[in-house]
Amino acid sequence: MTLNRQPNFDDADAFYAALIEAHRDFSDAESEAMNARLVLLLANHIGSHDVLFEALDTARTSVLEERT
Amino acid sequence: MPASHKNAVYVYRHSADQDAARPVHHPVIVVGAGPSGLTAGIDLAFRGVRGVVLDDNDTVSVGSRAICFSKRTLEIWQRLGCAAPMLEKGIEWRLGKVFFGKQRVFEFNLQPEPGHGMPAFINLQQYYVEEMLIERAMRLGVDLRWRNRVVGIREHDDCVWVDIDTPDGRYVLTADYVVAADGANSPVRDMLGLESAGQVFNDQFLIADVVVEAPFPTERWFWFDPPFHEGQSVLLHRQADNVFRIDFQLGADADGNAALEPASIAPRIRAMLGDKVAWSLDWASVYTFRCRMMERFVHDRVIFVGDAAHQVSPFGARGANGGVQSAENLTWKLARVLRGESPVALLESYDNERREAARENILNSTRATDFITPKSHVSRVFRDSVLRLAANEPFARALVNSGRLSTPCAYRHSPLSTPDADRFEGAARPGAVCPDAPVVRLGRREFLLDSLGKRFTVICSGGGLPEGLRDDADIDVLEVGVDFDDVEGLVSKRLDLVAGGAYLIRPDQYVCARWRVPTADDVVTAWRRACALS
Ligand SMILES: Cc1cc2nc3c(=O)[nH]c(=O)nc-3n(C[C@H](O)[C@H](O)[C@H](O)COP(=O)(O)OP(=O)(O)OC[C@H]3O[C@@H](n4cnc5c(N)ncnc54)[C@H](O)[C@@H]3O)c2cc1C
């Protein structure tokens, strides 16, 4: 299995709104804690070693690119 | 010294070797009588090589260090005839509890899989284990020499010269091989100008062994960030004699000496056990640890085992367990080389296999250490999130790492293994330990591992034995239904062994090859490979 990077949301706009809404009234520390839990929940759902490592690598590379 | 246990003292005896005009020669000299060196000495004797074991001290481990001994280690000691007293004295626990802050986040129950001769692990103080090993070594006639400190090592082409200091002065021995089992700070390593490289951890830990008189549950408790020791971690573990090991993380900046003061220890223990439990402090010490290993374990005629070769953090109980497993990996090879049955190249496989095992042990213990003591802000955020989720989400419990049970390394790159040509189910692949299972042999109920002898063994089923192998001088045969009965069907299940198939097992109970339908040539070729004869 490989990481699906094509559009895959049932409803992209609704998800995005819900994601922001889920952080409502949170301090930065609380948002950070929530994001960590979200990552863990989703990572467990995916489970596949290859997909997770590809996702980690893609996300990390994207952040590193901003450095330059 | 702990009050609950009085260490045995072993008297220094003057050896005739000390009066010889020329250095006396021995096939093997083992330096160090810790768990690794004692296992090496016993296993060598078991294989017919009478080694000399030298130790600079005259007693066993002072205070408890290792407490958790794993199934594979117990299987080795069972093979060497000394597991029984350990099982009797040791503690088996099933129930573990994990706390985070004030909350108990979850419990786990380690239900053992039935049908194995040895338990998954036992808790027993290291001094007991060493005393029992010494007892066994003495019975087997191992030449144990106390207060014999190695002070010099000189490698020659054909032997090693060892300089030894004793209460009666110095003497010299020569040996074909020196097994350096002289611990984490290995003086032999220093004498040869070698080093063990890796990571130093700055966190300090306080271990307190406490005698609890009242009935107290046999459980393992691990606290992350407990209210009575904020920001740190604490582990409570039971050992024999109602002694409980309490392991307090102190952090990098704490004053270790101050932490050792009874006035500083007592309130912590009271906060943890509660006011109603009567206890007394048995022994306490502060330690830091390292994860490191040597670049090579074999240096011509000097071979490093145990902490001298590879050192891990205590989380996951892989130090002594790894050392004992290294010792057993080496001894059958050394015995073959000394008897001229295999070329020196066989010793290279010790280096290959045990460095793979050391890397695996270091990886495991480093991961546990990083979970217990997060090294960055984000690492702590994830760690705490895992612990919070673990209360209600079973998936998160898989991520909680307070030390993973020590399991033996399955060698993936061993030059001694013959890769599978056929498809098999299960974990008993070449390079892995042969799984255990109940059998009946000669009318007696025992376990498969008890049935394996000192040599290579073919385990086969229903005509899987190629012609001519019954009489091979170097290979034992165990045929299902002929040499033993697979009473619960677990041999065939765990090895995925059906009629016509066969396994080849090494003298250290590792699988080196297996086939669905072998020929005699297959078996002999695989055996030659496992002996480094090809
Ligand atoms: C707090 C703590 C908890 C631990 N818990 C566990 C656990 O639960 N499970 C586990 O598996 N491991 C555990 N360990 C690790 C374990 O104690 C070591 O890995 C183990 O003792 C290593 O055995 P060894 O035989 O290689 O070396 P050692 O036990 O260190 O033995 C070396 C021997 O060599 C002798 N020696 C040294 N120099 C010389 C010389 N020049 N001449 C002659 N003799 C010499 C020493 O006197 C000593 O007897 C723990 C360690 C600590 C500190």
Side-chain angles (χ1 to χ4, degrees):
Chain A
M1 236 200 310
T2 53
L3 182 68
N4 183 0
R5 290 153 83 173
Q6 298 306 313
N8 189 41
F9 290 111
D10 285 347
D11 184 340
D13 289 350
F15 164 72
Y16 191 79
L19 176 64
I20 304 306
E21 175 60 17
H23 283 271
R24 186 160 45 88
D25 301 337
F26 276 0
S27 66
D28 286 354
E30 285 167 332
S31 274
E32 188 181 33
M34 157 143 172
N35 280 339
R37 285 165 216 209
L38 189 62
V39 166
L40 294 167
L41 281 158
L42 297 176
N44 176 65
H45 184 83
I46 293 164
S48 157
H49 179 276
D50 290 351
V51 174
L52 291 172
F53 276 64
E54 196 183 332
L56 286 170
D57 192 53
T58 308
R60 182 176 168 82
T61 307
S62 160
V63 172
L64 285 175
E65 275 166 5
E66 285 167 37
R67 276 192 181 170
T68 49
Chain B
M1 283 245 186
S4 67
H5 179 261
K6 198 165 174 306
N7 272 12
V9 173
Y10 305 96
V11 286
Y12 161 77
R13 283 206 182 79
H14 187 91
S15 156
D17 288 358
Q18 291 169 245
D19 308 321
R22 317 174 106 256
V24 176
H25 186 81
H26 293 272
V28 182
I29 292 174
V30 179
V31 187
S36 311
L38 287 166
T39 301
I42 295 169
D43 205 4
L44 283 168
F46 182 76
R47 299 189 184 284
V49 179
R50 222 169 143 263
V52 177
V53 179
L54 307 173
D55 196 275
D56 60 352
N57 213 329
D58 61 0
T59 187
V60 290
S61 175
V62 174
S64 181
R65 289 195 287 153
I67 59 172
C68 189
F69 294 92
S70 73
K71 176 170 187 280
R72 181 62 204 149
T73 301
L74 295 168
E75 285 168 356
I76 293 169
W77 288 334
Q78 169 77 351
R79 180 173 64 72
L80 299 175
C82 47
M86 299 176 187
L87 295 175
E88 188 168 322
K89 185 81 194 170
I91 301 276
E92 273 184 67
W93 59 270
R94 304 267 158 83
L95 198 63
K97 291 181 179 160
V98 176
F99 304 81
F100 182 37
K102 293 193 184 75
Q103 191 191 8
R104 184 165 89 204
V105 287
F106 70 97
E107 290 183 11
F108 55 89
N109 196 335
L110 299 169
Q111 286 296 350
E113 185 186 63
H116 294 266
M118 293 296 121
F121 53 86
I122 58 166
N123 280 5
L124 183 61
Q125 293 90 315
Q126 183 163 341
Y127 40 75
Y128 278 124
V129 167
E130 290 181 13
E131 283 174 9
M132 291 165 184
L133 289 170
I134 291 165
E135 165 95 27
R136 184 68 184 136
M138 295 202 291
R139 257 174 213 278
L140 286 169
V142 175
D143 190 346
L144 285 167
R145 299 188 190 176
W146 305 104
R147 299 182 71 188
N148 274 241
R149 180 194 301 272
V150 172
V151 291
I153 290 269
R154 289 165 282 157
E155 284 204 79
H156 292 248
D157 281 346
D158 56 344
C159 69
V160 191
W161 289 57
V162 181
D163 300 306
I164 302 156
D165 204 17
T166 75
D168 293 331
R170 289 202 179 187
Y171 72 111
V172 180
L173 292 177
T174 61
D176 292 308
Y177 287 95
V178 166
V179 175
D182 52 347
N185 299 318
S186 174
V188 172
R189 204 174 57 212
D190 288 344
M191 289 171 211
L192 294 181
L194 300 166
E195 57 178 73
S196 185
Q199 200 177 352
V200 179
F201 291 82
N202 295 320
D203 267 293
Q204 302 175 85
F205 287 79
L206 166 73
I207 46 176
D209 280 346
V210 169
V211 180
V212 178
E213 295 304 345
F216 204 80
T218 304
E219 299 170 355
R220 178 190 197 259
W221 295 359
F222 201 103
W223 277 271
F224 295 93
D225 199 4
F228 54 84
H229 193 51
E230 270 173 32
Q232 310 286 359
S233 68
V234 176
L235 169 65
L236 175 78
H237 230 196
R238 186 176 202 144
Q239 311 169 64
D241 302 334
N242 293 326
V243 176
F244 286 74
R245 159 70 53 84
I246 310 175
D247 210 315
F248 292 98
Q249 180 194 348
L250 296 177
D253 306 322
D255 177 345
N257 283 329
L260 268 177
E261 292 292 327
S264 138
I265 298 177
R268 289 197 167 115
I269 296 176
R270 240 190 323 274
M272 191 168 112
L273 299 179
D275 287 333
K276 292 186 206 72
V277 178
W279 54 270
S280 60
L281 184 63
D282 203 29
W283 187 71
S285 75
V286 169
Y287 69 92
T288 55
F289 53 80
R290 296 183 177 202
C291 288
R292 56 176 178 167
M293 62 191 274
M294 296 178 71
E295 210 173 284
R296 284 186 53 78
F297 296 171
V298 177
H299 287 267
D300 298 319
R301 292 177 176 276
V302 180
I303 304 173
F304 292 84
V305 302
D307 275 10
H310 43 72
Q311 198 184 349
V312 295
S313 83
F315 306 113
R318 286 164 189 267
N321 286 307
V324 168
Q325 289 164 36
S326 284
E328 109 139 337
N329 184 289
L330 175 63
T331 41
W332 70 272
K333 297 172 181 174
L334 205 48
R336 286 193 71 91
V337 170
L338 283 165
R339 281 197 296 267
E341 295 166 350
S342 281
V344 176
L346 183 59
L347 300 178
E348 274 305 302
S349 72
Y350 165 76
D351 202 80
N352 178 306
E353 294 180 341
R354 293 315 295 175
R355 277 194 298 121
E356 181 182 351
R359 279 194 299 273
E360 185 176 297
N361 285 332
I362 288 175
L363 182 69
N364 271 290
S365 93
T366 305
R367 284 175 174 172
T369 306
D370 286 342
F371 191 86
I372 294 165
T373 58
K375 299 291 181 290
S376 66
H377 172 72
V378 71
S379 167
R380 181 171 287 272
V381 169
F382 272 110
R383 203 279 305 265
D384 290 355
S385 294
V386 164
L387 290 167
R388 287 282 171 243
L389 285 171
N392 298 313
E393 305 286 347
F395 88 85
R397 294 172 197 165
L399 296 169
V400 174
N401 188 349
S402 63
R404 300 280 180 231
L405 198 59
S406 161
T407 49
C409 180
Y411 309 127
R412 267 165 306 181
H413 314 293
S414 172
L416 307 188
S417 294
T418 299
D420 280 337
D422 306 318
R423 285 184 62 88
F424 278 91
E425 298 295 320
R429 58 185 173 81
V433 175
C434 178
D436 205 4
V439 299
V440 167
R441 194 169 63 113
L442 305 171
R444 275 191 38 212
R445 239 191 119 80
E446 60 175 35
F447 285 89
L448 180 63
L449 295 183
D450 300 325
S451 312
L452 298 172
K454 295 178 192 176
R455 309 186 297 173
F456 281 81
T457 306
V458 168
I459 302 175
C460 57
S461 177
L465 183 69
E467 285 289 309
L469 276 185
R470 268 275 169 208
D471 309 314
D472 192 287
D474 216 8
I475 302 177
D476 291 327
V477 172
L478 285 177
E479 188 171 351
V480 182
V482 177
D483 300 288
F484 70 92
D485 288 318
D486 184 13
V487 275
E488 293 180 24
L490 286 173
V491 175
S492 93
K493 179 158 178 253
R494 288 183 182 153
L495 277 70
D496 185 18
L497 178 64
V498 292
Y503 272 70
L504 182 63
I505 311 291
R506 311 186 333 190
D508 58 358
Q509 306 184 333
Y510 267 74
V511 174
C512 56
R514 56 182 177 174
W515 306 267
R516 287 293 179 203
V517 184
T519 64
D521 200 41
D522 286 338
V523 177
V524 170
T525 305
W527 169 79
R528 288 183 59 85
R529 180 173 182 152
C531 294
L533 289 167
S534 53

